[in-house]
Amino acid sequence: MYILGLTTLGDSAASLIHGGQIVAAAEEERFSRVKHHSGFPFHAIQYCLDEAGIGIADVEHVALYWKPWILRHKAMQAIKSAAISRDMFRARVDRGVDQVSKSYLGMFGYARKIRQHFGPSNFRFHYFEHHLCHAASTFFLSPFESAAVLTMDGTGEDTTTMFSRGKGTDLKTLKRIKLPHSLGQFYSAVTNFIGFDMFAGDEWKLMGLAAYGKPVYKEFFAQKVLSANGNGDFHLNIRVLDHHLAKHYQFPDAIVSELGPARQPDEELEQRHMDIAASAQEVLEDVVLKLLQHLHAATGEKNLCLAGGVAFNSVMNGRIMQESPFEKYFVQPAAGDAGCSLGAAYLVHHKKLGQPRSAVMKHAYYGPGFTSAACESALQAAGLNYETLAEDELISRVANMIAEGAIVGWFHGRMEFGPRALGARSFLADPRRGNMRQLLNEKVKLREWFRPLAPSMLEEASEKIFGFDHRDPFMVTVLSVREDMRASMPAVVHVDGTARPQTVSQTTNPRYWKLIKKFEEVAGIPALLNTSFNIQEPIVCRPEDAIRTFRGAGFDALVLEDHLVLRSSNLNDK
C-alpha cells in the first residue's frame, strides 16, 4: 500500500512509503531551485511517484501535515496583541490574512488539485495536526520501542512545543505549549535583531556566530525575554521581543535599551552582536534542558526523540546528549517541516491502518539518484572534458587530490533528505588546512567568514576524535573534540574546540566510507571536510545543477558518479 505525505508551507516536501518503508522523500526546493520553497510540491510528488514506478492511481492514502481549520487561538493572540501595540496587532493580522487566503483555504482543495494535476485516483485524504506529525516523524523512525518525544518549532496551528510519549505504534500527547510562547520564534527574532533574515533560514548563522561571543546578556534574556519555570513550561515576553515585529526588523525600546540598536543587514559584525548571539543560544539551551528534566520525570523513559526546527540546533543537541537525564537520543535528518511529510504518512500507516512498526531511519539517501550513464550524457551535453574511472582508481585519485589541497564537488548516489549534505551532494576538502574554512566560505560558498564547516568521519574513528564512541549519521550534534586532535583538523574544529560530525557507515554509504578511509591512509586523518554542494541556492539535485555550479564557481574538481572533471582540463569553459 502506497501512502503519500505532504508538507506545503515553508520547506514544502513529499514523502512516499510502501509497506512501512520509505520509498522516496525530497524537498520541493531541490527541483524548483528556490530556497525554502513554499507552496504545493508538484515536482517532489512527481519524483516520489517516478521513484516507485507508479502513478497517482496506485496511491491509496494522501496525508497532510496541517489542520487548516484550527485558527481560533491565533486569532485570539492577534486580538490580545492590540492591547500591547498597534504595530504588533497589524503585523499579526497582515500575516494571518495572508496565511488564510493564500495557504490554509487552499488546503481544503488539495485532493482535487492532486487529481487535476496527476490524474484520477481513489485515494483517501487525511489532515493531521502539525506537531503530531513532527512527533511521528521522529519516534516512528527511531530505533526505540518506547521513548519520550519533544517537538519544538516556531509554531504549528497553535502549538509551539509538545511533550509526548511513544510506545509501539502509540503516541500520547502529554503537554502543549502554545503561542505566543515559542522557542523557535524567540530564536528567529534574535536572528533578525542581529541583521540576518529568518525567512532565508539564517538561524544557522546565529548559532555559528554564537561560538565567537560570550553570554554577557544572558541574565537579561533569561529574566526579561525567555524564562523557564519548574513546571515544564516557559514564557516568551513579546513586549520585549516579538517575532512578528522582528520580521519587519522592528524592535521595542525595552530590548534596544538593553542590547543597543539592532544591527542593519549591511553593517559590520561587532563583538556586541556575537555576545548577543552567544547569550540567546545559551538561554535557549538552558530552557530546553529544563523542559527535558520535566519530560523525563513525567515519562520515566531513558530514550529521547526530538523534532521540529529547533531540533536542528546542533549545539543545543550536544548539551542535551551530555547533560540531560536521557541515555539515548534520536533526531532524524529532516527534523524541520519537510520531515512532517514523513510523519503524516506514518500516522496513516500506524494510526489509521493499524500496521506494526518496521522502519528505522539509518540514512538520509531518499532523494533522486542518477546513473553513471545519465551523468556522462550531462557532461557531454555541457561540452566538458572528463575521465571515466573504476571505483578504486577514482577514490585514490580524489583522496590524493584533496590531500594536495583540492576542493572537490562530490555527487554520488541518491540525494539526501533534509538540509544537511551527507556525502551524496557535498563539497569535500582537507580538514588539516587551517585556511580551508576561509577559502571555502569566502571564495567558493560566497558566505560569511564565521560559518562553521563539518567533518565527515569514519564512524569507527569517533573515539579517536571525541574520546568516546559516538554515532551521528545525520550531523545533528556538536561535541567537544579531544584536545590532542584539534590542531590536526583545524578547518572543521570550531573556535570553541567543538565540531559537528557526520559519522559515516560502511554499510549505508560504502563509496563515501572508502574515500574517507583512503584519505586516512594518505593523510593520517580519518575525516574529510564536508559542506553542502551549493552556492547561494538549494543543494544541487541533478547532474546539470552540479555542472552549472562547477562552471560558476572556483573549486578544483567535480565527481559525477564514475566521472572526474578537472578544472585544469576545462580552463576555457566559462
Side-chain angles (χ1 to χ4, degrees):
M1 180 176 293
Y2 287 100
I3 304 170
L4 180 68
L6 303 178
T7 298
T8 59
L9 298 178
D11 294 326
S12 63
S15 298
L16 185 69
I17 68 173
H18 180 254
Q21 301 298 314
I22 304 172
V23 176
E27 296 100 316
E28 184 72 5
E29 69 165 23
R30 305 297 171 85
F31 306 97
S32 70
R33 310 310 298 159
V34 176
K35 273 192 170 184
H36 305 292
H37 186 111
S38 181
F40 199 77
F42 289 107
H43 296 94
I45 292 172
Q46 188 63 60
Y47 155 66
C48 288
L49 298 176
D50 291 345
E51 185 67 36
I54 63 171
I56 196 65
D58 299 298
V59 175
E60 297 188 44
H61 296 271
V62 179
L64 182 69
Y65 80 134
W66 204 270
K67 290 185 173 181
W69 56 86
I70 301 179
L71 296 171
R72 181 178 180 276
H73 186 83
K74 281 186 177 179
M76 292 302 298
Q77 291 304 309
I79 293 170
K80 290 179 180 179
S81 71
I84 300 176
S85 84
R86 181 181 301 173
D87 287 342
M88 191 179 294
F89 174 71
R90 185 182 299 116
R92 279 168 167 73
V93 170
D94 289 347
R95 175 65 170 167
V97 170
D98 186 65
Q99 284 182 325
V100 170
S101 61
K102 293 183 179 180
S103 300
Y104 298 168
L105 290 178
M107 291 178 179
F108 292 105
Y110 278 175
R112 183 177 65 254
K113 178 178 287 193
I114 292 171
R115 293 184 177 106
Q116 288 175 343
H117 187 86
F118 296 100
S121 177
N122 293 322
F123 61 76
R124 291 181 57 196
F125 197 91
H126 309 266
Y127 297 89
F128 290 105
E129 191 264 333
H130 181 71
H131 269 262
L132 184 61
C133 291
H134 271 314
S137 78
T138 183
F139 175 64
F140 289 144
L141 289 168
S142 77
F144 309 134
E145 172 62 23
S146 65
V149 184
L150 178 63
T151 61
M152 309 166 283
D153 64 6
T155 186
E157 296 89 342
D158 55 12
T159 298
T160 70
T161 306
M162 189 171 82
F163 295 11
S164 307
R165 184 180 186 183
K167 188 171 185 179
T169 59
D170 184 52
L171 264 174
K172 181 180 181 181
T173 300
L174 304 178
K175 180 183 179 72
R176 294 177 181 270
I177 297 173
K178 297 187 176 184
L179 289 169
H181 310 297
S182 167
L183 299 172
Q185 290 193 357
F186 161 75
Y187 208 76
S188 294
V190 178
T191 296
N192 275 29
F193 190 89
I194 301 296
F196 300 140
D197 182 1
M198 67 174 76
F199 290 112
D202 283 356
E203 289 88 349
W204 307 116
K205 297 182 182 181
L206 182 66
M207 186 178 67
L209 189 65
Y212 293 86
K214 296 182 178 180
V216 297
Y217 302 104
K218 179 179 177 180
E219 184 176 354
F220 163 72
F221 276 118
Q223 293 184 1
K224 300 296 181 64
V225 184
L226 184 69
S227 54
N229 61 31
N231 299 316
D233 211 343
F234 64 88
H235 180 269
L236 176 62
N237 188 350
I238 60 174
R239 294 176 180 270
V240 179
L241 180 65
D242 179 64
H243 170 77
H244 291 275
L245 289 178
K247 288 177 181 177
H248 304 285
Y249 295 93
Q250 297 176 13
F251 302 95
D253 292 340
I255 191 168
V256 174
S257 63
E258 291 284 344
L259 304 183
R263 173 179 171 267
Q264 297 302 307
D266 57 349
E267 289 181 358
E268 289 291 323
L269 284 164
E270 301 174 355
Q271 188 61 48
R272 175 174 67 93
H273 304 129
M274 302 176 197
D275 293 341
I276 292 169
S279 303
Q281 173 68 31
E282 194 160 315
V283 167
L284 173 73
E285 295 167 11
D286 289 349
V287 169
V288 172
L289 284 168
K290 289 178 181 177
L291 296 182
L292 289 175
Q293 290 173 357
H294 179 84
L295 180 59
H296 183 264
T299 63
E301 292 285 350
K302 64 179 182 179
N303 304 317
L304 173 66
C305 295
L306 299 173
V310 178
F312 277 136
N313 194 302
S314 50
V315 177
M316 175 194 76
N317 291 343
R319 282 193 66 188
I320 288 173
M321 195 184 81
Q322 295 173 314
E323 298 180 35
S324 83
F326 293 95
E327 298 176 16
K328 296 182 179 180
Y329 314 83
F330 181 78
V331 184
Q332 58 106 330
D337 281 3
C340 282
S341 60
L342 277 175
Y346 276 98
L347 282 169
V348 172
H349 183 68
H350 296 308
K351 305 300 289 183
K352 295 290 185 179
L353 303 179
Q355 295 299 306
R357 290 173 61 190
S358 60
V360 175
M361 200 171 190
K362 296 181 179 180
H363 64 80
Y365 309 117
Y366 296 108
F370 298 85
T371 65
S372 185
C375 291
E376 185 169 24
S377 294
L379 289 168
Q380 290 173 348
L384 288 176
N385 298 315
Y386 63 92
E387 298 176 77
T388 302
L389 304 171
E391 182 174 83
D392 288 347
E393 184 179 0
L394 176 70
I395 286 172
S396 180
R397 286 274 298 276
V398 173
N400 279 280
M401 288 170 54
I402 292 173
E404 292 167 3
I407 298 171
V408 176
W410 179 262
F411 184 108
H412 170 67
R414 293 180 67 178
M415 183 181 68
E416 304 92 339
F417 183 45
R420 305 280 201 249
L422 301 170
R425 307 289 188 271
S426 294
F427 279 129
L428 305 178
D430 189 345
R432 301 172 302 166
R433 297 175 181 267
N435 67 337
M436 190 55 75
R437 178 173 58 83
Q438 181 180 4
L439 179 62
L440 265 163
N441 278 336
E442 296 183 7
K443 303 298 184 183
V444 178
K445 299 279 283 184
L446 306 179
R447 64 185 191 178
E448 296 85 356
W449 59 269
F450 60 83
R451 300 285 292 277
L453 302 172
S456 286
M457 50 182 279
L458 304 177
E459 64 177 10
E460 303 90 329
S462 59
E463 188 163 354
K464 177 179 180 179
I465 293 175
F466 295 108
F468 60 95
D469 186 43
H470 176 64
R471 296 288 187 271
D472 182 359
F474 304 136
M475 203 184 283
V476 292
T477 50
V478 168
L479 301 172
S480 182
V481 177
R482 280 176 44 168
E483 289 191 21
D484 61 338
M485 288 296 297
R486 294 175 186 176
S488 63
M489 42 195 302
V492 295
V493 176
H494 306 157
V495 67
D496 58 1
T498 62
R500 175 170 53 92
Q502 174 201 4
T503 56
V504 180
S505 164
Q506 188 175 7
T507 301
T508 57
N509 196 335
R511 179 176 285 196
Y512 194 38
W513 185 93
K514 288 179 183 177
L515 178 64
I516 301 171
K517 185 66 175 177
K518 176 58 69 172
F519 182 79
E520 181 185 28
E521 294 172 6
V522 172
I525 300 294
L528 288 171
L529 183 156
N530 169 21
T531 189
S532 56
F533 194 165
N534 64 320
I535 299 172
Q536 303 297 311
E537 65 171 353
I539 297 173
V540 301
C541 174
R542 305 173 304 142
E544 291 80 4
D545 301 329
I547 290 169
R548 185 182 65 252
T549 302
F550 178 71
R551 282 178 153 164
F555 58 99
D556 303 291
L558 171 65
V559 174
L560 290 179
E561 292 299 339
D562 302 321
H563 313 294
L564 174 63
V565 184
L566 303 178
R567 187 165 299 281
S568 59
S569 299
N570 292 273
L571 290 178
N572 294 324
D573 177 68
K574 298 295 182 185

